[in-house]
Amino acid sequence: MKKIRVNASKAYDILMGEGLLEGAGEAVKNACSCQKAFVVSDTNVFPLYGEKLRASLEKAGLEVFEYVFEAGESSKNVSVYSEIVEKMCLAGLTRGDVAVALGGGVVGDVTGFAAATYRRGIPFVQIPTTLLADVDSSVGGKTAIDLANGKNQLGAFWQPSLVICDLLTLDTLPTEEYQNGCAEIIKYGMYGDSNLFEKIAAGPVSSDYENVIARCVEMKRDVVEKDEFEQGPRMVLNLGHTFGHAIEKLSGYSIPHGEAVATGMNIIATAAVKLGYAKTGTDEKLREVLKKYDLPLETEFGAAEMAEAAAGDKKTLGGMITLVVPTGIGVCDLVKVPVSDLLKFALAGGLR
Ligand code: NAD
Ligand code: GLY
């Protein structure tokens, strides 16, 4: 088992290994010294792993409550959030208890936001079950739900008390979810680690889950420890996300996050080469790896609508937006531009 410590405003461990669900109850109890555990999961994950988690929590002496919602991004909304906090209240959860997110990024984000806001904040534990959640969403304390007008518009920074990555849960992951996770892993290589990028390019991520996930988590840990509340350096984690979020929004969230980020990275890397920020060939190398993992390079949406949707991103400030622009493989710059420049980047990124 690997253990990675995150020293954010709240310090916590990320445990990583095969079969960790069995001992999850003890680990939760040790991290939170709680009496009640409120488990949130979705309709795909709960039937696979809910029973095992419940048994482990009960064995550790915890009283267990469960809430399961329909799987998918469309559940990351105000009504699911509101049901969770109402049920927490009915269960009599206090600040001495714990919310446990069992699932992918959707479960983690909505549970984390409920934990951040219920009684002004209760402890929560992330048990990620997708590759994307292992490498990204379960770490770093960003929690949120979507509003009709945009993604992650209602949220809070709220660090978990513990993260438990049981790598065996990846055995049941559908292929497209594996690919979505790979998109975020490629992002790590692209913004900050050319060795990781080469490793992903050479072999399937699935041949060495533990080391690849651990490397991504360490990179995220380093960034979060430097800039937990995203005032500057943390923005590198948003590589591909400005246009990625625009694709998600324009598709009515039918295009998953990982796929959208893959296309978003291709757009910004293409623009970076065209506008002279990145070395020639940087975009081509990225495209080769994205293709290897069957990730989409193109979008049906046009430059103008993409620029308009991206301008609504929550990262705009005073008419300016910070773009994460690759300058080569494993290096990037944060470039602050007027929101009106988004169209220029979209066009240079190959959109019509
Ligand atoms: P997801 O949670 O919707 O999971 C994808 C699908 O896989 C779902 O249908 C789910 O039921 C299923 N699934 C999950 N684990 C499974 C398993 N082990 N076996 C079989 N099926 C399984 O999506 P995701 O890709 O994990 O996360 C995407 C969400 O994460 C987005 O909402 C995105 O905005 C958010 N996100 C948040 C952060 C953050 O820092 N908070 C970072 C990146 C992404
Ligand atoms: N996924 C982006 C971040 O955590 O900052």
Side-chain angles (χ1 to χ4, degrees):
M1 182 185 77
K2 282 192 195 306
K3 188 198 277 194
I4 297 171
R5 185 86 173 155
V6 182
N7 285 304
S9 52
K10 182 195 288 170
Y12 56 96
D13 288 328
I14 297 161
L15 310 179
M16 197 177 294
E18 295 194 344
L20 298 189
L21 263 184
E22 307 262 343
E26 273 305 316
V28 168
K29 183 112 191 174
N30 289 340
C32 304
S33 54
C34 45
Q35 309 298 316
K36 294 178 183 178
F38 191 97
V39 176
V40 180
S41 191
D42 75 23
T43 45
N44 292 333
V45 178
F46 191 78
L48 293 168
Y49 304 109
E51 196 72 27
K52 195 174 257 183
L53 178 60
R54 184 193 305 139
S56 175
L57 291 165
E58 284 179 347
K59 197 167 152 214
L62 291 162
E63 189 179 355
V64 180
F65 300 84
E66 288 159 349
Y67 179 83
V68 178
F69 62 77
E70 191 62 38
E73 180 74 29
S74 58
S75 289
K76 213 174 109 174
N77 62 27
V78 176
S79 61
V80 167
Y81 159 73
S82 156
E83 275 210 36
I84 292 172
V85 289
E86 290 291 354
K87 293 262 156 58
M88 284 178 169
C89 204
L90 284 176
L93 234 64
T94 69
R95 286 188 196 154
D97 297 314
V98 65
V100 180
L102 174 70
V106 166
V107 172
D109 277 11
V110 68
T111 310
F113 184 55
T117 48
Y118 175 74
R119 297 208 170 178
R120 300 199 178 92
I122 64 168
F124 93 111
V125 170
Q126 291 266 21
I127 306 187
T129 62
T130 61
L131 184 57
L132 184 144
D134 284 335
V135 296
D136 194 355
S137 61
S138 65
V139 180
K142 276 191 183 176
T143 73
I145 55 174
D146 303 332
L147 295 180
N149 215 15
K151 206 175 148 64
N152 296 334
Q153 296 287 310
L154 194 61
F157 288 96
W158 190 246
Q159 299 294 336
S161 299
L162 177 70
V163 181
I164 303 172
C165 298
D166 183 341
L167 301 176
L168 287 184
T169 61
L170 296 177
D171 288 352
T172 54
L173 203 60
T175 307
E176 62 270 26
E177 299 308 337
Y178 166 69
Q179 290 161 349
N180 283 322
C182 289
E184 293 282 8
I185 291 171
I186 294 166
K187 175 194 82 176
Y188 283 98
M190 193 68 195
Y191 87 70
D193 186 345
S194 55
N195 290 335
L196 176 65
F197 188 91
E198 295 308 334
K199 182 174 172 138
I200 305 161
V205 162
S206 54
S207 66
D208 191 8
Y209 272 140
E210 188 161 330
N211 286 314
V212 171
I213 294 171
R215 177 66 192 133
C216 295
V217 168
E218 280 165 2
M219 288 176 76
K220 182 152 187 182
R221 184 257 333 259
D222 292 346
V223 168
V224 168
E225 286 184 352
K226 239 190 273 170
D227 180 25
E228 181 174 347
F229 300 105
E230 203 174 28
Q231 297 304 298
R234 184 168 180 163
M235 288 181 192
V236 295
L237 296 174
N238 298 327
L239 174 61
H241 283 56
T242 302
F243 288 117
H245 280 169
I247 293 169
E248 284 183 84
K249 183 176 175 186
L250 291 171
S251 75
Y253 302 109
S254 63
I255 295 179
H257 183 72
E259 279 185 28
V261 166
T263 308
M265 284 194 287
N266 183 35
I267 295 168
I268 196 70
T270 305
V273 171
K274 191 122 190 224
L275 299 173
Y277 291 95
K279 289 185 209 124
T280 312
T282 302
D283 54 341
E284 197 43 53
K285 278 191 190 155
L286 172 67
R287 278 192 288 277
E288 274 167 28
V289 178
L290 292 174
K291 274 192 247 166
K292 181 182 168 88
Y293 288 91
D294 285 324
L295 286 159
L297 302 178
E298 283 169 14
T299 173
E300 65 185 276
F301 304 115
E305 57 183 338
M306 284 283 284
E308 195 188 332
D313 194 285
K314 64 187 177 311
K315 283 159 198 112
T316 55
L317 204 61
M320 304 292 283
I321 187 161
T322 302
L323 296 175
V324 189
V325 181
T327 52
I329 300 296
V331 273
C332 67
D333 273 347
L334 295 178
V335 180
K336 202 168 179 179
V337 297
V339 165
S340 54
D341 275 11
L342 281 167
L343 184 60
K344 180 178 87 181
F345 278 86
L347 289 167
L351 303 181
R352 307 221 167 165

